[in-house]
Structures are given as C-alpha cells and as structure tokens.
C-alpha cells in the first residue's frame, strides 16, 4: 500500500529542510493516528480568497468549490520530503479508491502552505507524479492571502516545516467540516464521505 511505503521512507530517511517527524509523534511508530470517525463537526466561515490551480486559473476558494459537494482538503508543499509525501499518499489512495467504483463523488483538494515556491507548474508536476485524477484539485493562494486562508481553515501558518498533518472533510456550501489530525485510513475517509450524501 502506498501509505506504508511512504511511511517507511519517511521514518528511515533523515529529514533535510523538512518536517521533523518527532514533532508529530505520539507513539513509537513516529506518527499520530486519530480515529476520523470520532472527529466532531465544526462550522467554518471561509473567505472567498482567490486561489490559483495547477493550470494557472484563478477563482475564489469558496466559489470554486461551493457546488461540488463533499470535499476533502489536505495541506502540503511540493518541496517537502518527509511528511507531505505521506499526506499525498493518503489522498492518492482516496483518489484511487473512487476510480471505477460506486463511491459517491468527492473532490480532493491539496492546498499549498508554501505560496512563495509552489507555482502552478510545480503543483502540476506533483499531480502528474501522483497520477491525480481530475477530481483532485491543487490550489495555492498568494503569499499575502495564504495566512488568512489557513487561519480560517484552522491551520497554523507558522513555519512550513513544522505543520501537523491535517485533513478537513466537509462541504463548502454548508461550511460544516470534520477535522482529522494525523494520518487517517483512506478507507475511513471514503466511508465518511459516503455518509455525507
């Protein structure tokens, strides 16, 4: 499974200008797993801050996603070599899990936390590496707007090397989201997404 391989890689390779896995550790394996089923629903008030996708098209964050139904948002940056590949692997497994199945539609969003370096071209290259489907959007706000967008999403905008793995599963139209901190099982994310319909 993609997650196991990435987790092994992250735990055996020393981080270079990237996350220190010990910052996230609460167990001997070096990861923190939170049961997503127990994540409470929160109400988020999100600003319609302009974000640019991997094709270079800019639109409001809320407006672009308000009509798509359930969304799963992850946070990363393309220059990360330790924790973000695991986040990407989880989202890739969710993406793969929806191919050719009767799983209800879910839009996956990767929001960059490194707007100074994550150009549309870099986002597109990472999406290609992961064989991301069209349902997986790769977005970045401007350096000036990113802190406000992350704050509205309840994600710290501190040093990019020390952010926790966070996923938000919910609906832009209602603003209701489940916050999952840690490394959830992609099958559980799909189950929760299916329960939203």
């Amino acid at each position: 499974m993609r997650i196991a391989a990435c987790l092994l890689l992250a735990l055996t390779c020393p981080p270079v200008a990237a996350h220190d896995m010990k910052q996230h550790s609460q167990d001997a394996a070096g990861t923190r797993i939170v049961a997503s089923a127990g994540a409470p629903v929160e109400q988020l008030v999100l600003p319609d801050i302009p974000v640019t996708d991997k094709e270079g098209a800019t639109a409001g964050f809320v407006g672009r996603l308000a009509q798509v139904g359930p969304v799963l948002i992850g946070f990363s940056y393309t220059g990360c070599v330790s924790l973000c590949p695991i986040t990407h692997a989880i989202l890739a497994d969710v993406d793969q899990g929806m191919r050719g199945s009767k799983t209800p539609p879910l839009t996956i969003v990767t929001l960059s936390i490194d707007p100074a370096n994550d150009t549309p071209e870099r986002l597109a290259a990472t999406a290609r590496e992961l064989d991301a489907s069209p349902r997986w959007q790769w977005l970045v706000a401007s350096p000036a707007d990113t802190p406000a967008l992350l704050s509205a999403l309840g994600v710290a905008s501190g040093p990019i090397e020390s952010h926790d793995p966070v996923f938000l599963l919910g609906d832009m139209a209602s603003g209701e989201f489940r916050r999952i901190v840690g490394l959830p099982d992609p099958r559980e994310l799909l189950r929760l997404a299916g329960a939203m319909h």
Side-chain angles (χ1 to χ4, degrees):
M1 181 179 239
R2 203 179 275 120
I3 295 173
C6 287
L7 181 58
L8 180 61
L9 179 65
L11 294 175
T12 57
C13 295
V16 179
H19 305 293
D20 179 354
M21 288 296 288
K22 292 177 184 175
Q23 294 172 354
H24 309 287
S25 176
Q26 288 193 353
D27 62 24
T31 60
R32 177 173 52 208
I33 307 296
V34 175
S36 55
V41 174
E42 351 176 338
Q43 185 72 42
L44 299 179
V45 178
L46 301 175
D48 202 22
I49 286 174
V51 289
T52 302
D53 64 24
K54 63 185 176 64
E55 283 81 32
T58 300
F61 183 67
V62 175
R64 136 186 330 259
L65 298 166
Q67 304 302 318
V68 301
V71 296
L72 174 61
I73 305 171
F75 304 87
S76 69
Y77 64 104
T78 60
C80 173
V81 295
S82 60
L83 188 61
C84 296
I86 303 171
T87 298
H88 291 160
I90 291 169
L91 295 176
D93 280 349
V94 170
D95 192 29
Q96 286 287 333
M98 289 188 288
R99 296 183 187 188
S101 72
K102 296 180 181 178
T103 305
L106 173 67
T107 298
I108 301 168
V109 176
T110 292
L111 182 62
S112 171
I113 61 170
D114 185 14
N117 296 300
D118 281 347
T119 62
E121 294 77 17
R122 289 185 73 170
L123 295 175
T126 303
R128 280 192 302 273
E129 289 169 11
L130 292 166
D131 190 28
S133 75
R135 76 173 59 84
W136 191 346
Q137 297 193 28
W138 295 75
L139 306 174
V140 61
S142 71
D145 286 336
T146 294
L149 182 55
L150 292 177
S151 177
L153 291 161
V155 175
S157 60
I160 58 175
E161 297 85 2
S162 62
H163 77 95
D164 283 325
V166 175
F167 299 86
L168 293 172
L169 177 63
D171 182 83
M172 287 291 196
S174 69
E176 293 184 350
F177 285 87
R178 288 185 186 271
R179 181 178 308 275
I180 301 126
V181 180
L183 304 174
D185 186 327
R187 292 167 297 185
E188 178 66 4
L189 292 173
L190 284 168
R191 187 193 70 75
L192 286 171
M196 292 175 63
H197 287 272

